[in-house]
Every structure is written in structure tokens, then in C-alpha cells.
Amino acid sequence: MDSRADSPVDDAASDRPVGGRDRDEEGRARNARPRDGLGRPLPYGADGVARQPEGVVRAPGETVAEAQRLLDDGKPFHAHEVFEDAWKSGPAEERELWRGMAQLAVGLTHAARGNVTGGARLLRRGAGAVTEWGASDAGRERPYGMDLGSVAAWARELAGEVEGGAAVDAAARAPRLRG
């Protein structure tokens, strides 16, 4: 949904809405600037990567499959949005799982952008969250086919590499969520 379609445009700002704030159809502030594959804002009018629609309710298996596709395509920012939808729309007992998965995707995003501190911190935080969630009840180590132990190990290893100065290619370093 392009919130700029029905908004007056300030021509001097190259497609920027008059008044300086993008708004959706309900009037909520929404940044409509195009973004690159890592979610960084681009100038108004630039060609960007299609954004994930917000608020999509998917079956858990569909969430995992869509997030994996985006991770494999080098779009961890977009994968985080898929996990965030699951976190916000899923059952309360799974919210911490999806929140942790979203943190892992954002950690990979920051690492790929060169943000050493933020990337490593979010990778470790997400690893801790999914490990804790999986250990909190017997049999939850492989929800929806995800190998939480392997995903957490991937995140901790990548965090150490990022802190050691390694450059990160998001697509090349995407985790395998299912085995």
C-alpha cells in the first residue's frame, strides 16, 4: 500500500509528502520511503525493494517458509517483518519464539549493514530467546521443523565473527531454519 498515493506531494522534496510525514489510509505515521534489500531508507523517488505487507496472518509453517525465502534472498530486514507478524498475531505461548526469531533477523540485518555492536547484540539476544523458549517445555526444540539449537549456534558464531571484524553478506550467511 502506497500511503503517498492520496497525499499532496511537495515537488521540491522529490515525492516527499507535504508536511513531512507519510501517513497510511488510517492517518497513522508510516514511512513510505523506498528501502534497499537491507531495509535502509533510500531517497524518495528511488527504486527500492518491494516491502513486506504488514499485518499478514500466516500459518506458522508459512511464516517459516517465507522468512527462509527472504533470508536466502539476502533480505533479513524483510524476514524480520514476517516474524514480527507471527509475533503479533500468533498465540501468546509462541510470542517469545517469534520475537526471538525477529531479533535474529534484525541482528543479521545490522551485521550486514556493518553495525558490529548492534548486530552482535541482537544475534545473541535472539539466540538466547529461542534457546530459552525451546527449553521451557519438553518437545519444543523443533517447532514447525525449525532446529532452534542450530539456529542459536549459528547466531552466536556469527556474533563472534562480526565482533572480530568480519564483513557479512546477508544471503551467504543466512541461517538454515529447518535442519
Side-chain angles (χ1 to χ4, degrees):
M1 171 184 331
D2 186 359
S3 64
R4 293 176 290 148
D6 297 324
S7 300
V9 174
D10 177 356
D11 291 327
S14 180
D15 291 335
R16 185 177 185 151
V18 173
R21 295 207 64 181
D22 299 320
R23 301 216 175 257
D24 65 13
E25 292 174 357
E26 288 82 36
R28 292 182 301 242
R30 296 275 190 228
N31 191 329
R33 284 175 62 182
R35 296 193 178 255
D36 71 6
L38 292 174
R40 291 176 288 220
L42 298 170
Y44 284 98
D47 289 332
V49 172
R51 296 176 79 160
Q52 286 298 117
E54 292 183 43
V56 176
V57 177
R58 298 173 183 86
E62 292 171 340
T63 293
V64 175
E66 178 65 4
Q68 186 69 70
R69 182 188 69 76
L70 291 163
L71 290 165
D72 291 346
D73 287 349
K75 299 176 183 173
F77 177 82
H78 299 81
H80 123 270
E81 292 178 330
V82 170
F83 287 132
E84 191 172 87
D85 284 341
W87 162 20
K88 291 178 178 179
S89 67
E93 63 271 9
E94 293 183 0
R95 288 200 177 122
E96 290 305 306
L97 166 66
W98 301 118
R99 184 175 67 88
M101 296 302 294
Q103 288 172 332
L104 291 172
V106 171
L108 178 56
T109 300
H110 283 285
R113 289 177 177 176
N115 177 352
V116 172
T117 303
R121 182 175 293 141
L122 282 163
L123 286 163
R124 286 194 177 98
R125 187 179 302 155
V130 299
T131 299
E132 184 177 320
W133 187 87
S136 67
D137 190 14
R140 294 199 322 183
E141 299 85 20
R142 294 188 65 88
Y144 312 110
M146 291 188 292
D147 183 346
L148 297 184
S150 292
V151 170
W154 160 85
R156 289 184 179 108
E157 179 181 328
L158 183 58
E161 291 175 22
V162 168
E163 289 174 326
V168 175
D169 176 315
R173 293 309 309 268
R176 300 298 333 140
L177 301 178
R178 292 180 169 153

